[in-house]
Amino acid sequence: MDLTASEARQAALTSRVRANETALASQDERLSLILSTLNKIDNRLERMERLPIR
């Protein structure tokens, strides 16, 4: 009986770990997109700063 309970706990923990890994992968992708957008904005601002003042 203890072995069955232990296996059930292990399966539940494994499932939770996989769910967390999936969530973190999605979060990493979103953060990467945000960073990419910020880099584009930064590049545009740098180009604007180099333009001559009219």
Side-chain angles (χ1 to χ4, degrees), residues 3-53:
L3 182 59
T4 303
S6 177
E7 289 172 344
R9 282 193 301 273
Q10 182 65 36
L13 287 173
T14 299
S15 177
R16 288 173 59 191
V17 167
R18 286 190 183 136
N20 283 336
E21 288 173 340
T22 300
L24 287 174
S26 296
Q27 184 179 23
D28 283 349
E29 185 175 341
R30 287 191 306 268
L31 290 173
S32 179
L33 289 171
I34 291 169
L35 180 59
S36 175
T37 301
L38 290 174
N39 284 332
K40 288 177 185 177
I41 291 169
D42 187 47
N43 288 337
R44 288 177 186 163
L45 288 172
E46 285 180 6
R47 284 196 305 264
M48 288 172 64
E49 288 172 351
R50 283 185 259 152
L51 289 175
I53 298 174

